[in-house]
Amino acid sequence: MVKKVFAFALLISGLIFSSGCSEEKAVSEADMSSKSRDVFAMDTFMNIKAYGGNADIALSEAEKRILQLEDELSVTSETSDVWAVDHSSGTAVDVSDDTALIVNKAIEMGKKTNGALDITLYPVLKEWGFTTGEYKVPDDNTLKSLLKNVDYSKVSISGNKVTLPKETEIDLGALAKGYTGDEIMKTMEENGVSSAIVSLGGNVQALGKKPDGSNWKVAVRNPFAPDTDMCIIEIDDKAVITSGNYERYFTTDDGNVYWHILDPDDGYPADNGLVSVTVIGDCGLDCDALSTALFVEGYDGAVEFLRSDPSFDLILVTDDMKIFYSGGIADSFTNISGMEAEVIALD
Ligand code: AMP
Ligand code: MG
């Protein structure tokens, strides 16, 4: 079985945020100066802007925290928690509080999304080459045999001790950046910063409002033309996290396109009608876990989830080029694409 979609240009993925200069002019001299820091970590360009407080210290502390999280969570670094867990041959491994928290969340979200989020897919992702860039389409038998060891419910955690079955390996890539956004915001607050925004590849997270009291404007990319924006939403104190098929993919000689979010049911790229899912909510970790899971679940699963938990907002883009967004952001959603957009009907 192959999954075929359109081909499109390879472009840097994710969301951009507007830090409009005109708004910044409206604030007092003292608050006006934003401090900014670029960090490359977790395979991602990150930018943090902080206003007020001890912004310089906050940014330095945030950078340290990002690098610490990368050290703990990297699936390829031989000194990380995840590496230790993946090379434990079935024995219990002591991990940091960060890793334990994320593993617990991954198991919880795995349950809530009927296994759509499955951190034990790592051996399958490796087989596709998504971890190295040496892409190939695995044969069905290889996939079947690798899938025998894929089951998030077999990850056991007690306190800070994680135990996996012998052939099982985990990867926290679907959640790590969301958690990192939360931790950056904590660092900002601890250093008196009341207004900050961070862009981590496809994710944006804001602390408070802009220093002039207005909302942040966040642009969500058009998955059909990822160098252009599809819509703009206004947020304060929220994470805006997108999973899309355009973020990492490869095309074979016969024109088939394969992307990095896999369906744990068959080990193939999830192809359930959605090309991107944006989750907007208070907690970056939750939004990140959900964006990946709902991409796998498809439109019906995503709407069902929204019904069960309306504390989140969603922007879903279907493979027939339609945008569906939840009622909670209806007043702050501006469609700047030529695509049809409608509010998700929950009844
Ligand atoms: P995100 O960009 O947050 O949607 O995360 C996608 C990344 O999570 C991929 O690049 C893989 O490393 C990993 N991944 C892919 N499919 C799944 C899945 N169904 N469950 C958990 N992690 C996944
Ligand atoms: Mg995610």
Side-chain angles (χ1 to χ4, degrees):
M1 180 178 50
V2 291
K3 317 261 174 165
K4 190 164 190 166
V5 293
F6 51 88
F8 40 67
L10 175 60
L11 287 154
I12 297 166
S13 64
L15 294 159
I16 57 158
F17 59 84
S18 150
S19 55
C21 297
S22 51
E23 288 92 333
E24 280 162 29
K25 281 192 193 111
V27 300
S28 72
E29 194 68 36
D31 287 342
M32 238 170 76
S33 52
S34 85
K35 304 278 180 166
S36 172
R37 181 75 54 99
D38 293 315
V39 181
F40 183 77
M42 302 179 179
D43 247 349
T44 304
F45 287 103
M46 306 184 180
N47 173 266
I48 314 166
K49 278 193 173 60
Y51 298 79
N54 298 316
D56 278 323
I57 296 172
L59 290 171
S60 296
E61 291 299 312
E63 184 168 356
K64 272 194 229 155
R65 187 77 176 110
I66 291 167
L67 298 178
Q68 181 194 12
L69 289 172
E70 182 175 44
D71 280 348
E72 293 171 356
L73 305 174
S74 164
V75 74
T76 49
S77 155
E78 297 188 13
T79 53
S80 77
D81 286 346
V82 174
W83 177 280
V85 169
D86 284 349
H87 294 80
S88 60
S89 306
T91 57
V93 172
D94 238 323
V95 298
S96 65
D97 290 348
D98 297 314
T99 307
L101 188 149
I102 300 172
V103 168
N104 274 310
K105 177 60 73 177
I107 297 169
E108 176 200 323
M109 283 298 194
K111 265 187 215 144
K112 266 196 191 162
T113 61
N114 311 308
L117 184 80
D118 195 322
I119 53 171
T120 64
L121 272 167
Y122 185 53
V124 185
L125 285 157
K126 273 198 287 193
E127 191 63 27
W128 281 94
F130 285 115
T131 53
T132 56
E134 286 163 27
Y135 299 121
K136 69 163 189 284
V137 180
D139 63 66
D140 281 348
N141 285 338
T142 309
L143 279 182
K144 261 188 209 135
S145 123
L146 289 173
L147 283 171
K148 284 188 192 135
N149 299 311
V150 171
D151 184 354
Y152 74 95
S153 70
K154 301 227 169 89
V155 177
S156 120
I157 177 159
S158 163
N160 285 40
K161 285 201 186 314
V162 179
T163 315
L164 297 184
K166 264 195 180 152
E167 305 295 324
T168 300
E169 292 175 276
I170 60 166
D171 153 38
L172 302 176
L175 308 101
K177 279 186 265 164
Y179 181 70
T180 303
D182 291 335
E183 291 304 295
I184 293 170
M185 292 315 168
K186 262 193 213 159
T187 311
M188 295 294 126
E189 283 182 298
E190 282 162 12
N191 290 284
V193 171
S194 53
S195 185
I197 191 150
V198 57
S199 160
L200 309 104
N203 303 341
V204 171
Q205 191 156 346
L207 176 69
K209 289 179 180 267
K210 291 174 82 169
D212 68 357
S214 65
N215 289 329
W216 303 98
K217 292 191 175 79
V218 177
V220 179
R221 297 226 164 160
N222 182 340
F224 295 98
D227 58 333
T228 64
D229 298 331
M230 177 181 75
C231 63
I232 292 168
I233 51 166
E234 292 192 29
I235 54 145
D236 73 283
D237 232 11
K238 295 259 189 263
V240 181
I241 296 193
T242 298
S243 292
N245 67 350
Y246 58 89
E247 291 180 312
R248 200 174 316 147
Y249 66 92
F250 67 97
T251 308
T252 48
D253 291 343
D254 54 9
N256 291 311
V257 183
Y258 301 90
W259 51 86
H260 67 131
I261 302 175
L262 302 183
D263 193 329
D265 280 347
D266 61 7
Y268 276 88
D271 192 13
N272 297 315
L274 296 177
V275 292
S276 88
V277 173
T278 300
V279 181
I280 301 130
D282 295 331
C283 168
L285 176 59
D286 285 350
C287 291
D288 202 1
L290 269 180
S291 68
T292 312
L294 299 182
F295 184 97
V296 173
E297 290 214 85
Y299 180 86
D300 290 341
V303 172
E304 199 179 307
F305 186 89
L306 189 62
R307 232 177 242 129
S308 72
D309 192 345
S311 66
F312 293 94
D313 277 295
L314 301 181
I315 303 170
L316 310 174
V317 185
T318 55
D319 55 10
D320 58 354
M321 298 183 87
K322 289 192 186 122
I323 308 167
F324 295 89
Y325 57 100
S326 52
I329 51 166
D331 290 342
S332 69
F333 176 96
T334 310
N335 181 12
I336 54 171
S337 73
M339 287 186 266
E340 268 175 53
E342 65 180 72
V343 175
I344 298 168
L346 285 182
D347 36 44

